[in-house]
Amino acid sequence: MKKLIFYTKPGCHLCEGLEEKLAELDHLPIDVESRDITQNPAWFTEYQYEIPVLCRVISHPETPELDQEQPLPRLSPRAPVRQLEKMLQTYLGPFDAE
């Protein structure tokens, strides 16, 4: 399963819109971890002007402490779900629906 990290904050309408689109892609083998930037000063400093931010996790199964996050390009808030799905397939690699 591919992993994404979704940086968000309460009351952000752009975050809510992206969250709704991600929910529509529940047929894809993607694990989405939501992180509220107001709960961590480092996240807030990094993403306070950028949210919503989706990052793919580049994992190292043998050494998880070396896992890295790579921010994905930001989609227009008006982008349809199909465009989000296409972007995820581009950056996460092709996958079949489960």
Side-chain angles (χ1 to χ4, degrees):
M1 182 166 289
K2 316 275 181 163
K3 184 172 180 183
L4 288 175
I5 298 174
F6 175 42
Y7 288 97
T8 183
K9 77 174 184 179
C12 170
H13 69 281
L14 296 175
C15 299
E16 291 165 358
L18 182 54
E19 185 174 30
E20 288 172 8
K21 290 174 184 164
L22 287 167
E24 290 184 46
L25 297 176
D26 64 350
H27 62 281
L28 298 178
I30 299 172
D31 177 32
V32 180
E33 176 188 341
S34 292
R35 292 183 179 175
D36 177 351
I37 66 167
T38 65
Q39 301 300 307
N40 181 305
W43 298 341
F44 188 82
T45 299
E46 177 124 8
Y47 298 117
Q48 65 182 321
Y49 302 114
E50 304 293 322
I51 59 166
V53 175
L54 278 177
C55 294
R56 75 179 184 139
V57 175
I58 302 168
S59 61
H60 300 274
E62 300 297 321
T63 51
E65 65 274 5
L66 297 178
D67 287 359
Q68 297 175 321
E69 294 177 25
Q70 180 184 41
L72 300 180
R74 187 178 181 127
L75 280 179
S76 165
R78 295 181 180 163
V81 172
R82 178 69 187 119
Q83 188 174 349
L84 174 60
E85 183 174 5
K86 185 177 178 182
M87 183 192 76
L88 293 177
Q89 288 187 358
T90 298
Y91 287 93
L92 299 178
F95 40 71
D96 297 320
E98 290 186 336

